[in-house]
Amino acid sequence: MTNKVTIVGSINVDRILQIDQLPQSGETIRMQDFSIAAGGKGANQAVAAARSGAQTSFIGAVGQDLDGQMMLNKLRDNQVNTNAIEVMNSSATGQAYILLQATGQNSIIISAGANADVSADQVKANQALIIQADFVMAQFETPLAATIQAFEIAQANRTITILNPAPATAALSEELLQLTDIIVPNETEAANLTGIEITNETSMRAAADKFFALGVKVVIITLGSRGVFMARAGFDKIIPAVTVTAVDTTAAGDTFIGSLASELHADFSNLEAAIVYANRASALTVQKLGAFPSIPTRAEVVASI
């Protein structure tokens, strides 16, 4: 059965600056190479879900500019339904400036642009996309009010909510977490939201318990090269990562979440298997440069197993 996934999220054009290492204060360095790619956490997750076979729709915004048209075309090329993406006259399309080091690690600077214009009213006007979905996903690159509206609609209609609390923030919205079924932070994001430093399995369980107390049903903490910590009430486990040589970690987490949503059953009965699949997809992503260009198809993920 094909999962239906709706994303409320961000759309960015990634400008990738390849450098040996980050500059020190006051230092001028040379750039080794420069490239432009489609990206944005929401858009990456949508493409990951679609390439893994999910019927995918998107609620978001772009500017009335060449970047916006490019992003709409890229999403459509990946069979993402873009009917609920608004084109804003007064805002430019979101931008991400990615400082990609030779190690494959990156630092990212974001200009929200039209992403900041995504509103609760826009979500409500497109609520049919949420009501008919199996999963609705959101991140922190669009306004909180829009995400809360989406999750309220989802909860009222038995659509599973998935929250990727990124970029990291120290603001804990209990209202949003009470509407969240699955939360997928990395270690830093989990620590920022719970106040618990993630150092070992004991601290991961403590963070998960804090999320459970607010109504979250499933906690998935991504641990980079160490794998993924998954927890449901009364059960937790670390699922190892796939060992590969990273070229560019951009979109690795987004690929994990999008492919997870394409694979997961609504009753969570195949949670561990879905995480293993998502781990495989993420491992393929880090072996290529860029966001959209690196996200694998279902066939590629299955072939890697």
Side-chain angles (χ1 to χ4, degrees), residues 216-286:
V216 177
K217 296 180 179 66
V218 176
V219 177
I220 300 172
I221 302 176
T222 56
L223 308 172
S225 61
R226 289 181 292 136
V228 174
F229 172 82
M230 58 167 278
R232 297 179 67 181
F235 175 79
D236 60 73
K237 182 177 184 178
I238 289 182
I239 298 175
V242 180
T243 302
V244 297
T245 299
V247 173
D248 180 7
T249 58
T250 304
D254 298 330
T255 297
F256 177 90
I257 294 167
S259 55
L260 176 77
S262 76
E263 192 75 5
L264 186 61
H265 297 165
D267 62 0
F268 310 146
S269 59
N270 69 332
L271 178 61
E272 186 171 342
I275 289 174
V276 170
Y277 175 89
N279 262 349
R280 288 281 180 178
S282 185
L284 290 173
T285 295
V286 302

Side-chain angles (χ1 to χ4, degrees), residues 34-305:
F34 173 79
S35 58
I36 296 175
K41 295 193 70 63
N44 294 340
Q45 291 169 18
V47 169
R51 288 185 182 172
S52 275
Q55 184 178 320
T56 308
S57 299
F58 202 101
I59 301 173
V62 295
Q64 193 174 41
D65 48 34
L66 292 177
D67 284 342
Q69 191 58 56
M70 179 192 82
M71 291 304 301
L72 289 173
N73 290 338
K74 292 283 189 181
L75 288 167
R76 290 166 184 157
D77 288 346
N78 283 280
Q79 286 73 56
V80 175
N81 175 6
T82 63
N83 291 343
I85 297 176
E86 292 194 6
V87 178
M88 302 296 179
N89 294 323
S90 57
S91 300
T93 299
Q95 305 288 318
Y97 298 87
I98 300 173
L99 304 178
L100 176 60
Q101 301 177 66
T103 59
Q105 297 301 307
N106 62 53
S107 301
I108 303 175
I109 304 166
I110 291 174
S111 175
N115 293 314
D117 297 328
V118 180
S119 67
D121 287 342
Q122 180 186 353
V123 170
K124 194 170 183 178
N126 294 285
Q127 62 181 319
L129 294 176
I130 296 170
I131 293 170
Q132 68 187 19
D134 299 298
F135 299 93
V136 61
M137 297 193 292
Q139 325 78 37
F140 283 167
E141 288 186 346
T142 46
L144 180 62
T147 301
I148 289 174
Q149 177 70 81
F151 279 23
E152 285 178 344
I153 293 167
Q155 289 285 344
N157 291 278
R158 298 184 180 180
T159 298
I160 303 299
T161 57
I162 303 177
L163 178 64
N164 173 216
T169 175
L172 179 64
S173 170
E174 292 193 8
E175 181 183 6
L176 179 58
L177 290 179
Q178 288 166 359
L179 297 166
T180 298
D181 293 312
I182 304 172
I183 192 166
V184 191
N186 63 22
E187 296 165 275
T188 300
E189 292 150 4
N192 285 347
L193 289 172
T194 64
I196 298 169
E197 185 179 1
I198 305 300
T199 56
N200 52 32
E201 286 189 61
T202 300
S203 60
M204 293 176 205
R205 291 189 190 103
D209 286 341
K210 193 158 186 178
F211 287 127
F212 291 150
L214 290 166
V216 177
K217 296 180 179 66
V218 176
V219 177
I220 300 172
I221 302 176
T222 56
L223 308 172
S225 61
R226 289 181 292 136
V228 174
F229 172 82
M230 58 167 278
R232 297 179 67 181
F235 175 79
D236 60 73
K237 182 177 184 178
I238 289 182
I239 298 175
V242 180
T243 302
V244 297
T245 299
V247 173
D248 180 7
T249 58
T250 304
D254 298 330
T255 297
F256 177 90
I257 294 167
S259 55
L260 176 77
S262 76
E263 192 75 5
L264 186 61
H265 297 165
D267 62 0
F268 310 146
S269 59
N270 69 332
L271 178 61
E272 186 171 342
I275 289 174
V276 170
Y277 175 89
N279 262 349
R280 288 281 180 178
S282 185
L284 290 173
T285 295
V286 302
Q287 296 178 70
K288 294 182 180 180
L289 186 66
F292 278 25
S294 68
I295 297 170
T297 63
R298 174 172 291 279
E300 290 170 328
V301 177
V302 171
S304 75
I305 295 175

